[in-house]
Amino acid sequence: MKYPPYSWLRLSDEIRQSPSRIWFALNKLPTKTEMCTIKIHIGGNNSSITDPYEAINNLSILLPRQRKVLERFLKLAKPTKNKSEFTLDHASLSTVLPYCSAIPFEVSGEGVISIGKLNARIKAHLKGSPKDPQIHFSLLQPNGTQLQNPRFFGDVNAYVIDERLKLQIIVPNITQAEAEMILESPPLPLLGLCQVESRQMFYALSRLGIDFSCLNELAIQPEESQICLRLLLNIDDVTQKMCARAHLVTKIKHESFQDEVEIKATGSIPSVHISATKDMDEEKYVSEVKIPQLLRRPAANEENARSFLYHLGAGPARLHDGFELSGDDAFELLKSISHKDRLPSYIKLDENAHPSIIELPSKVTIKIKTDNEKPSRVEIALSLSPEFDATQAEFSLFSKARDNILVLDEDTLVILNEDAYLSVRYLCDTFGFEKPNQFKNKSVAQVALLMNALKDQITIDADGALQHYLDNFSIQQNEEDRVLPQSLTATLRPYQHDAVAWLSSLQRSGLGGLLGDEMGLGKTLMILTHLARLKEKGLSAKPAIVICPTSVIDVWKGEAHRHIPDLRVTKWHGPDRHLLGDNINDCDIIITSYAILRRDINARLGAMEFSTLVLDEAQYVRNQQTDSFKAAKSLNCTHRIALTGTPIENHVGDLFNILDCVEDGILGSRSQFEKQFGSPIESGNIYSNAFTLKMLLAPIVMRRRKSEVENELPPKIENIVHCALSFEQKKLYRQYVGQLSGSLAKNLSFDQPSNSQTHFTLLSALTRLRQICCHPSLILGKEAHDHSSGKLKALKEIMIECLEMGRKMIIYSQFLKMQELIVDIAKEIDEKGALWLHGSTINRDEIINTFQSEDGPRIIVVSLKAGGTGITLTQADTVIFADPWWNPAVEDQAVDRAHRIGQKKTVHVIRLIAEDSIECEVVALAQKKRIAAQSVLHDGFKNATNLSRDEVRCLLLREIDRVKPTQDLKENEEETDDD
């Protein structure tokens, strides 16, 4: 095995025995004034070399480290006439002496210089009388004895050679000149420390690391000693990074003496501090001078404090004795001082020398003001704290915070409370706040929603009268709301009674609402009861208007006549509607369609005033760009209610548009809603945003599932039947997939820009594949009439089995040709055949009533579009989907035609899926589309998003990759041509 060229694998070259011996012979150790003579000896067992320059070039003679030392020596030494003899001065020898372990240095008559394992140490000692103690300095050997006749060498680092020729490094690490000066200086009287110069010298020597432990016995503990951190911030002009300048200062106080001493970033820390005033003059006040008192410094904590800053990434400052930090290191220090508990207990933050720290409270404040006693609109502003408000900083800066710490400027830190931060972000997104105390004009209803959604997270700042008005404006039900109208002949179920009370509380509060119960829970009866209640209470002087699909106008009128006969109900429909004249104002309820509303909004309907607007199947106004939305929003009415079993049919924006039509601005602006809720939820990031949206919607949206509120409703059993494609279908399917891989290659590319034309092309291709799964004739026409279909074959068997069991069926399909084929099968297997309800059907009510009769046909074929709204088919106990749809909300609406109030039998739901086809991918995609709206409303809510271009593209690409058109098809012997 060959190892990589690690340097440590070649250490044998360095540690092997030298083939030749080399040593330096000195006639004496040089002094600063005298040079020495050095002769170089190089030789082995059999030969010797007199020329050192020749030895350097001979790789077989010297080891690498010997050669390096010899090269350095030859650069410093001066040669003599003898090739192997040189002269060397004191300074030059100091440079090469530390390498005596590589090449021996032999001093004539004394021996060989060797390196001592331990260091010599300079230490201070106290000598003299107790009244006049003096500080002496000596150089001690490792065993503690004083070193005699030391010979000093070195330059930057000093070392000494003792009498035994042991070379020892001197600690602390000082220069040779400094070591000699200290050791040769006269004793320092403690009395002399009264002078500023002497004290400075003492502190300088202490910082160098001279051992002054002898003074510890004389020092006393001060009354107070506190380490303080002082901090300044700035932004680097070049890098634009945040920088911090830190200083550690120890405050010492004892009796009348107090002083500050800075803990320098480098050097040793003195263990004592001299309690002498800095302006003491020994000569002038000699008669009064006393030995200054020595106070113990918290040296261990001072060292720990310095280590604390080093640990955060600090380094010695270039221009002062403090510390410098930049970038992330500076931020870590800011984080430590912002959360004071993160500072070590022995460090105190200097209150007068650090950035201002603004700690935001856990609750933000909403300021509300108005000039009216009972306003419909008020001025509101956001306030955090007086300190932060005074900065006038923009809330957008909060996005730059790290670990809930915002560096506002060089003098200010803002500590963000997590709850307050979330509230600020929500309020800014919803109301457009940019700065503190920036007032915005908002409706009282919207503020009421805000107070309800964030009641535990905000504080309201308003005058007494306005506060009382807002408190009473809260959306709370009372006993009066639960009083039902006397004209009601039906018996409401408990959940229906709850909805009527909720509608009453909304009307009393002046808020519109969305009743989003699942299909089949009786929303029509709940609304009629509410309107009858308003009439009896004298709260609806003007008529109410119900906007609904054309197909259910008569349903509304029939329900009103059946359950509340006292209500005067008029249809605004048909060519003769304008002949009603002024009598229309005497009605209680006017019922019209969305189509008529669009036509008459600029005429009669637009000029009228209504007490209540009811938008039935409110998904008709889910798009703000449509004429239906614009017409409904422009109606002049006091109270608005939306009804729909599918508040989110295509995307979360549907919900915004419906509520915006019901209560203008209730969810803020569309752009803010999309940024805060729409885009995150639809991209899959639901949990961080859905809860906030739920809280906001809670007062104005009521959503119940049938399984939650209607115990009498029978169960629903769902099954999937997988159908094998016939031979003709497989052949045609693979042929078409092969064409897709070629003709649509450009449109299938993810690099291709999206446009409506390419999207339509891809949808058309997807639809073709789905049609083939139903029957080849759906794309080939009459020429494929004799072809077989595995799906029709399976459907026929299911229909026969259901008829034998006495069941009544609703069969859904999206394709008109497929519906026609199903009707033909029904005629073949049952003498009553099948009813057919599709988009062009005129006599809808007659067909529905026929099927609902007990002796009517047992099969009805319905298009998904026709079965989406306004029909009740509770006679059916079996719902069959001949072809799957990627919008589960549409399928669930279709199931609810049978599984609703009035159904007594278990409802069976059967979905036919073509095996080994794109229908399997469509079903899987539909399941994914339920998640977003389930998170916004209740778990039972059904969601579907429109198929985007990328989704269609992915479906087709996966199918092209899965299907291999070149694969041979073998006709199944068991397969027949019968449908």
Side-chain angles (χ1 to χ4, degrees), residues 119-120 122 152-160 167-180:
N119 302 320
I122 297 178
F152 295 98
F153 291 88
D155 185 8
V156 176
N157 293 323
Y159 47 92
V160 65
L167 185 147
Q168 301 174 52
I169 297 175
I170 296 176
V171 292
N173 293 327
I174 55 179
T175 67
Q176 176 195 342
E178 290 171 336
E180 290 181 315

Side-chain angles (χ1 to χ4, degrees), residues 233-302:
L233 298 180
N234 69 288
I235 305 299
D236 190 279
D237 294 334
V238 178
T239 64
Q240 293 300 305
K241 287 186 176 180
M242 179 179 62
C243 302
R245 170 179 170 178
H247 292 269
L248 288 171
V249 176
T250 301
K251 296 181 178 180
I252 297 178
K253 182 179 180 182
H254 186 74
E255 296 177 347
S256 62
F257 173 82
Q258 57 183 10
D259 197 5
E260 291 184 355
V261 56
E262 181 163 7
I263 305 171
K264 300 185 186 297
T266 58
S268 298
I269 297 176
S271 59
V272 298
H273 186 67
I274 302 167
S275 63
T277 56
K278 296 181 180 180
D279 58 351
M280 177 69 75
D281 187 332
E282 182 180 3
E283 294 181 0
K284 184 176 181 180
Y285 301 103
V286 65
S287 60
E288 301 177 7
V289 171
K290 294 181 181 180
I291 296 175
Q293 201 169 48
L294 302 181
L295 303 176
R296 292 193 186 100
R297 287 177 58 172
N301 282 343
E302 289 176 324

Side-chain angles (χ1 to χ4, degrees), residues 746-759:
K746 183 177 181 181
N747 289 328
L748 288 171
S749 171
F750 281 90
D751 297 330
Q752 179 74 6
S754 178
N755 58 66
S756 58
Q757 184 61 39
T758 58
H759 193 190

Side-chain angles (χ1 to χ4, degrees), residues 657-672:
N657 292 336
I658 293 172
L659 289 174
D660 190 59
C661 189
V662 168
E663 187 70 48
D664 184 30
I666 199 71
L667 296 178
S669 69
R670 177 60 186 263
S671 60
Q672 291 165 353

